[in-house]
Amino acid sequence: MDLQLSWAAEYAAFACMLGISILIGLYYGFVERKQSTVNDYLLGGKHMSVFPITMSLIASHISGITLLGVPSEIYVYGTQYLIVAIINIFIILIVIYVFLPVFYDLQLTSVYEYFELRFNRKIRGLASLMFTISLILYIPVVIYIPALAFNQVSKLNVHSITPILCLICIFYTTVGGLKAVVWTDAVQSLFTTISIVAVIILGIIQVGGVGNVIKANAEGNRLEWFNMDPDPLLRNSFWTVSIGTTFSWVHGLGMHPGAVQRFVALPTYNKARKALIYFILGIGIVKILTGAIGMLVYTKFKDCDPVMAGYIENDKNLLPLFVTNVASNYPGLTGLFISGIVSTALSTMSAQLNTVSGTIYEDFIVKLLGVKVSDLMASIIMKATVVIVGIICVSLVLVVEKLGSILQISVTLGGVTQGCLLAAFVLGMCFPCANSRGALWGMIVSFAVMSWITLGAEMAIMNDKIKFVTKEVSVTGCPSNITLQNTTDFTGLYRLNHDVYVAPDVWKIFTLSYMHYSTVGTLIGISVGLIVSLIFPKEQHIEPNLLTPFVRRIVYPNHKNQIMKPNGVIVEEYNLVPQNTQL
């Protein structure tokens, strides 16, 4: 009976979260029926407030990849990755002073419309295509991770879980639009936060306090913050993490359509800036908390590694195993944790589906196909797009389950397209000399080179020609009656550095740290774009609002800053530069 009550409590917590998400979608879809225009569906009618937007941004960027991937990363490779929390300060400054003013000025429904205004329609179409492909490849990873956690706890088949979760997400995203996405994200983030805090508190109690956590991780060589080796081939160092994260997150937070869409949905620029600051600080806090969970997991299993002991197949299942251990005496807590994991997936997936529907409609159906429809039909088309893309993503989960490290594969997938897109925006906003030919070739070359590097690296990893050195684990505390699993075999490989073993026939470029994919892609795109623009100069008129504020000061010193309202009226609303500077 006690066991039945326990399982009832677990499923009740889980069902509560899903039920609230469905009810919010129903409310905004059928009670507050204001989703009949593109502005309502994608921007919430520009009546959103800072709090739900901030919570939605945090929730949509904290997926199961973070909740499961970061603790696993800390357990296996140490704490060097957590330096990302400090780097947030620089990312805030870059986004606020370079990208956010331009996007808020223009009030674009699709962020890639910028490329048509600055360059031409071809650049816009190419950028939208790259973004759409990257998103369709990324969403299945987001879906698979919580399904894996649910499988670890409930033993239900992963492929039975993912369609149910996706159908719920597709439903409230389709019916409710941005408002439903934002408010479900906000509610789901509460489940996530409660589950994280509960796991940390119970974990600390069970391992004997914070002092024991720090001592165990220090003795296990997990504490590593400032590995200042500049070698770009190291998997993790201060430089690979800080530089790589800066390039990756500037794209993800400063020009990702999902983020920009929410900033523009706020009624004033000051509110958009506040939401950005709170958002990035919130991301940093979550990274630190999930890193702390990773340290707790190591403290718990430091004498009996679960993978070597055969309790779990790989490190992806470390956190679910840890939760079932520490929460076994608290009915409902495991269900709350699973709700938190699933919440992150639903919030991320809903945000991305809402974003990709707007991108496909604005950049393909309207511009490329030249189709003009009524606002009601546009809303229907975008909702249908959400359903179609959602179904495609569910089917791709079959591919994702064959991939490796959670955190690494997510960064790798993003690195293919992030660099070329970031390079194109930087060329447009910061270099008046850049033209459409330069931007086009910069994007193409960056995408081609990074596709080659990432594909070569992943093939080498899959064929065991690249193997990473993990932190040492122990099995001295394991029961004597278990059969230990084999450790990593480096036979036939040579040690490239203290992080990586490689086969003699593997090119060194394929051993580049996965954290540097966005960095290299961006630098290639900017360099090629500038070179081509200078070799093939083109006379062009650039509207001042298409340039970032500090470049405007130089190119157009007498221009006053203006903003276009959604109704097409241009007014002077705020200054992005000191009062004594005419922009």
Side-chain angles (χ1 to χ4, degrees):
M1 183 66 179
D2 290 340
L3 182 61
Q4 290 179 341
L5 288 174
S6 176
W7 277 108
E10 312 296 355
Y11 283 108
F14 183 68
C16 179
M17 182 275 297
L18 293 181
I20 292 174
S21 300
I22 293 172
L23 289 175
I24 291 175
L26 289 172
Y27 174 77
Y28 283 107
F30 298 103
V31 178
E32 190 182 283
R33 302 185 65 178
K34 297 179 180 180
Q35 308 290 337
S36 59
T37 68
V38 175
N39 184 59
D40 288 333
Y41 188 77
L42 293 179
L43 304 181
K46 288 187 69 64
H47 297 301
M48 305 302 296
S49 58
V50 173
F51 174 74
I53 288 289
T54 303
M55 297 301 290
S56 173
L57 283 165
I58 293 173
S60 62
H61 282 73
I62 300 298
S63 64
I65 294 171
T66 299
L67 289 189
L68 295 184
V70 173
S72 174
E73 175 77 12
I74 303 307
Y75 181 93
V76 177
Y77 297 105
T79 59
Q80 182 63 75
Y81 175 76
L82 295 183
I83 201 71
V84 297
I86 299 175
I87 304 305
N88 281 349
I89 298 173
F90 301 100
I91 296 170
I92 290 174
L93 295 176
I94 293 171
V95 175
I96 284 180
Y97 288 102
V98 179
F99 301 106
L100 183 60
V102 177
F103 289 128
Y104 200 89
D105 257 1
L106 298 173
Q107 294 285 295
L108 305 176
T109 304
S110 168
V111 68
Y112 297 120
E113 187 179 348
Y114 172 84
F115 290 128
E116 184 174 354
L117 298 174
R118 175 64 174 85
F119 298 119
N120 58 39
R121 186 176 295 182
K122 291 181 181 179
I123 307 297
R124 175 181 180 176
L126 179 61
S128 299
L129 179 62
M130 289 182 177
F131 169 74
T132 302
I133 292 173
S134 67
L135 213 58
I136 291 175
L137 293 175
Y138 176 73
I139 292 175
V141 181
V142 174
I143 302 169
Y144 171 69
I145 301 306
L148 192 68
F150 198 99
N151 166 262
Q152 176 71 22
V153 174
S154 67
K155 305 305 178 184
L156 293 176
N157 186 276
V158 169
H159 301 297
S160 299
I161 302 167
T162 50
I164 297 173
L165 298 180
C166 291
L167 284 174
I168 292 172
C169 182
I170 291 170
F171 171 76
Y172 72 73
T173 305
T174 303
V175 172
L178 180 68
K179 286 186 177 181
V181 170
V182 167
W183 280 108
T184 50
D185 285 353
V187 172
Q188 289 162 3
S189 67
L190 294 179
F191 280 88
T192 304
T193 302
I194 294 171
S195 66
I196 291 175
V197 173
V199 167
I200 290 177
I201 293 174
L202 290 177
I204 290 175
I205 293 172
Q206 189 163 116
V207 301
V210 176
N212 284 343
V213 175
I214 296 174
K215 180 182 178 182
N217 281 267
E219 292 175 349
N221 197 30
R222 258 62 183 178
L223 298 183
E224 185 180 34
W225 307 104
F226 297 100
N227 176 5
M228 306 305 288
D229 190 333
D231 184 0
L233 305 183
L234 289 174
R235 185 182 185 278
N236 278 348
S237 70
F238 175 84
W239 300 113
T240 57
V241 174
S242 59
I243 296 175
T245 299
T246 298
F247 279 86
S248 177
W249 283 21
V250 163
H251 171 273
L253 310 183
M255 61 197 64
H256 187 286
V260 175
Q261 178 188 5
R262 283 157 177 73
F263 294 140
V264 174
L266 288 164
T268 67
Y269 174 75
N270 285 333
K271 288 187 176 182
R273 184 167 55 186
K274 286 180 181 178
L276 170 66
I277 294 172
Y278 298 154
F279 162 46
I280 296 182
L281 291 177
I283 290 282
I285 292 172
V286 172
K287 293 287 185 181
I288 292 173
L289 291 176
T290 51
I293 293 177
M295 295 173 66
L296 282 167
V297 173
Y298 176 74
T299 307
K300 173 72 175 177
F301 299 123
K302 64 184 177 66
D303 295 324
C304 184
D305 177 62
V307 178
M308 291 186 66
Y311 296 144
I312 54 177
E313 292 184 10
N314 52 54
D315 58 77
K316 295 176 183 176
N317 297 307
L318 277 169
L319 187 54
L321 177 66
F322 175 76
V323 171
T324 54
N325 270 263
V326 302
S328 58
N329 295 325
Y330 300 88
L333 188 55
T334 302
L336 180 63
F337 166 75
I338 296 300
S339 298
I341 297 291
V342 172
S343 291
T344 62
L346 292 179
S347 58
T348 302
M349 183 180 179
S350 63
Q352 307 293 26
L353 287 176
N354 183 262
T355 299
V356 79
S357 69
T359 300
I360 290 174
Y361 174 76
E362 291 289 340
D363 296 338
F364 293 110
I365 296 176
V366 174
K367 291 296 180 182
L368 296 185
L369 301 181
V371 178
K372 293 184 179 180
V373 297
S374 64
D375 282 334
L376 178 60
M377 181 57 66
S379 179
I380 294 173
I381 290 173
M382 286 185 287
K383 291 176 180 180
T385 303
V386 168
V387 175
I388 294 170
V389 173
I391 293 172
I392 294 173
C393 292
V394 172
S395 63
L396 288 176
V397 172
L398 294 169
V399 179
V400 171
E401 66 178 341
K402 302 183 183 300
L403 302 178
S405 168
I406 297 173
L407 191 62
Q408 181 166 340
I409 197 63
S410 67
V411 175
T412 299
L413 287 174
V416 177
T417 57
Q418 285 175 352
C420 63
L421 292 174
L422 176 55
F425 278 114
V426 171
L427 286 169
M429 295 183 188
C430 302
F431 295 96
C433 64
N435 57 38
S436 57
R437 179 176 290 184
L440 177 64
W441 280 104
M443 292 176 68
I444 292 174
V445 173
S446 173
F447 180 78
V449 172
M450 295 317 301
S451 295
W452 171 63
I453 292 175
T454 54
L455 180 61
E458 287 304 311
M459 291 299 294
I461 293 172
M462 288 175 61
N463 293 323
D464 293 329
K465 292 187 175 184
I466 296 179
K467 292 185 178 181
F468 299 102
V469 179
T470 61
K471 299 292 185 181
E472 292 185 2
V473 294
S474 173
V475 291
T476 58
C478 293
S480 58
N481 61 344
I482 66 169
T483 302
L484 298 179
Q485 307 297 314
N486 293 329
T487 57
T488 305
D489 183 11
F490 295 114
T491 303
L493 309 179
Y494 73 95
R495 191 158 192 164
L496 181 65
N497 52 49
H498 64 74
D499 272 4
V500 184
Y501 278 85
V502 299
D505 60 339
V506 174
W507 291 11
K508 277 193 175 181
I509 189 63
F510 294 149
T511 64
L512 177 73
S513 171
Y514 72 100
M515 296 295 296
H516 274 321
Y517 288 162
S518 294
T519 307
V520 174
T522 303
L523 296 179
I524 290 174
I526 293 174
S527 300
V528 172
L530 290 177
I531 291 172
V532 172
S533 296
L534 293 175
I535 294 176
F536 302 99
K538 179 181 178 182
E539 185 176 343
Q540 54 186 346
H541 172 70
I542 304 173
E543 291 295 329
N545 284 359
L546 298 176
L547 299 173
T548 198
F550 68 84
V551 175
R552 282 183 224 165
R553 293 190 187 99
I554 300 172
V555 181
Y556 300 102
N558 296 319
H559 175 73
K560 288 186 177 181
N561 186 63
Q562 296 176 329
I563 180 172
M564 180 177 289
K565 291 289 189 178
N567 60 7
V569 178
I570 298 177
V571 298
E572 184 176 354
E573 186 174 32
Y574 61 87
N575 287 318
L576 300 174
V577 295
Q579 294 296 321
N580 59 356
T581 303
Q582 291 294 316
L583 256 188

